[in-house]
Amino acid sequence: STDLTSTVGYDSIIQHLNDGRKNCKEFEDFLKERAVIEEKYGKELINLSKKKPCGQTELNTLKRSLDVFKQQIDNVGQGHIQLAQTLREEAKKMEDFREKQKLHRKKIELIMEAIHKNRNLQYKKTMEVMETCCCSLPYGDQTDPVFCFSLSYFWQLFLKLAQTKSALEDSDRSYQQNVTTLEKIREEWQKEHIKACEFFETQECERINYFRNALWLHVNQLSLDCVQNDEKYEEIRKSLEMCSIEKDVDFFVNLRKTGSLAPAPVVYENYYNTQRNASAVRSPITVPISR
């Protein structure tokens, strides 16, 4: 601004930096909330895999597949809990970065506040001296007839003019000194203002770069979690590929079999006619059972 005492541009920069800090805090809170969700989800998966029956009476290869399934679900749950911890660590890093920038910026802000105050005080003092100097100008013209009425009045006017001239010269010297001091302060302020702007610009570049990298890292972490989960699910698919229907059926038959021979056929016996009955009696024949 062309107004020496204005801080509108500086205030705009500080507001933007505060907004950037607020945006970092919002992302930090987002990570923390996501961590809570991931941890809760992971614990629920672990509880589900451990407490909920899932084909507990199955046998052989399918049973092994189900065991692998439950184990990998447990591993997925553990992975989500680990991801929650990772997200909390990233949130803490963002908080540390944010607070570090705040601390460094506070030092510059204190310097700028002090130099703004000094500049404004000197400007006010200089304006007051300038007004005093202007108001001390002699009033009246010595050639005016009114000043020639009496010698006494003339000498009084002369003395007053001399005093006024001396006061005017003092005011003028004071005004020049204040202007010189103000100019030095203005140059110092401008120098510090430029340094502050360069520092704030560097901080903003660092913040944007850090924020972008943090978001990139977060997405990579989510992608890695998905890849790791897919690897766990792949173990389940591999186990299911080893599941054999015929083997499981054979396993069950061998486990529960009661014998390889079927009961003998039932033969009719005539107890009324013993002679016929004797000729009809036959020895029982066992019939092997085929699959």
Side-chain angles (χ1 to χ4, degrees):
S1 174
T2 55
D3 181 3
L4 182 59
T5 60
S6 174
T7 59
V8 60
Y10 177 81
D11 294 339
S12 178
I13 293 175
I14 295 299
Q15 181 62 46
H16 178 72
L17 294 176
N18 289 334
D19 290 342
R21 183 169 177 270
K22 178 183 176 183
N23 293 336
C24 289
K25 181 65 167 61
E26 290 176 352
F27 181 65
E28 174 190 325
D29 293 339
F30 179 89
L31 292 179
K32 291 179 180 178
E33 289 294 325
R34 179 65 186 266
V36 172
I37 295 172
E38 291 291 340
E39 184 176 46
K40 182 179 179 181
Y41 179 55
K43 290 181 177 179
E44 291 292 336
L45 284 179
I46 292 174
N47 290 334
L48 178 65
S49 65
K50 290 182 176 179
K51 297 180 179 180
K52 188 69 175 178
C54 184
Q56 60 183 352
T57 61
E58 286 294 344
L59 302 171
N60 207 33
T61 60
L62 182 55
K63 176 176 173 54
R64 288 196 292 271
S65 294
L66 290 172
D67 290 341
V68 172
F69 166 72
K70 295 190 69 177
Q71 181 60 50
Q72 294 305 324
I73 292 299
D74 184 278
N75 292 341
V76 170
Q78 295 289 353
H80 281 282
I81 292 177
Q82 180 59 45
L83 176 60
Q85 181 60 29
T86 300
L87 295 179
R88 289 192 179 95
E89 292 172 358
E90 292 303 319
K92 185 62 170 62
K93 291 179 182 178
M94 178 62 77
E95 180 183 4
D96 293 341
F97 172 79
R98 185 168 50 82
E99 291 301 319
K100 180 180 178 181
Q101 277 210 330
K102 176 185 176 182
L103 182 62
H104 290 174
R105 188 166 70 243
K106 189 64 178 178
K107 297 177 182 178
I108 303 299
E109 290 181 19
L110 290 175
I111 293 175
M112 293 304 296
E113 288 176 6
I115 203 168
H116 284 162
K117 183 178 180 180
N118 186 32
R119 179 198 63 184
N120 293 345
L121 288 175
Q122 184 61 36
Y123 180 81
K124 181 180 179 182
K125 183 179 179 181
T126 302
M127 293 300 103
E128 289 175 350
V129 172
M130 183 182 69
E131 291 176 2
T132 302
C133 183
C134 293
C135 293
S136 299
L137 292 174
Y139 46 88
D141 188 350
Q142 296 180 22
T143 60
D144 196 292
V146 73
F147 293 103
C148 301
F149 288 151
S150 67
L151 183 62
S152 175
Y153 180 77
F154 173 79
W155 282 112
Q156 290 178 0
L157 183 62
F158 180 80
L159 292 174
K160 185 175 182 180
L161 180 61
Q163 293 172 353
T164 302
K165 181 179 180 183
S166 178
L168 179 61
E169 290 174 349
D170 291 341
S171 297
D172 185 64
R173 282 194 298 271
S174 177
Y175 173 54
Q176 289 181 2
Q177 291 174 356
N178 279 275
V179 168
T180 302
T181 303
L182 178 60
E183 178 58 19
K184 290 180 179 179
I185 292 176
R186 187 198 67 80
E187 291 177 354
E188 181 184 3
W189 159 76
Q190 183 169 296
K191 181 180 178 181
E192 292 297 328
H193 181 80
I194 292 173
K195 287 170 60 178
C197 288
E198 290 173 346
F199 175 81
F200 293 149
E201 181 179 0
T202 300
Q203 270 208 333
E204 179 65 1
C205 293
E206 289 178 351
R207 186 192 69 83
I208 295 174
N209 182 63
Y210 190 90
F211 201 156
R212 184 196 65 174
N213 291 342
L215 188 58
W216 193 301
L217 178 62
H218 176 60
V219 174
N220 285 347
Q221 289 168 344
L222 297 180
S223 296
L224 178 61
D225 183 63
C226 291
V227 171
Q228 292 174 342
N229 286 344
D230 188 65
E231 291 175 354
K232 297 177 179 70
Y233 298 142
E234 180 63 22
E235 292 297 319
I236 300 173
R237 288 190 287 266
K238 289 179 180 179
S239 178
L240 289 173
E241 289 176 352
M242 300 300 294
C243 179
S244 170
I245 299 174
E246 292 183 357
K247 288 182 180 180
D248 285 4
V249 172
D250 287 342
F251 182 84
F252 170 76
V253 170
N254 292 328
L255 181 66
R256 303 299 184 188
K257 66 183 179 180
T258 56
S260 59
L261 299 177
V266 179
V267 178
Y268 169 74
E269 296 184 17
N270 188 342
Y271 294 99
Y272 175 75
N273 189 337
T274 57
Q275 192 173 18
R276 287 183 58 189
N277 183 49
S279 62
V281 173
R282 298 177 182 175
S283 60
I285 302 174
T286 59
V287 180
I289 301 174
S290 65
R291 295 194 65 242

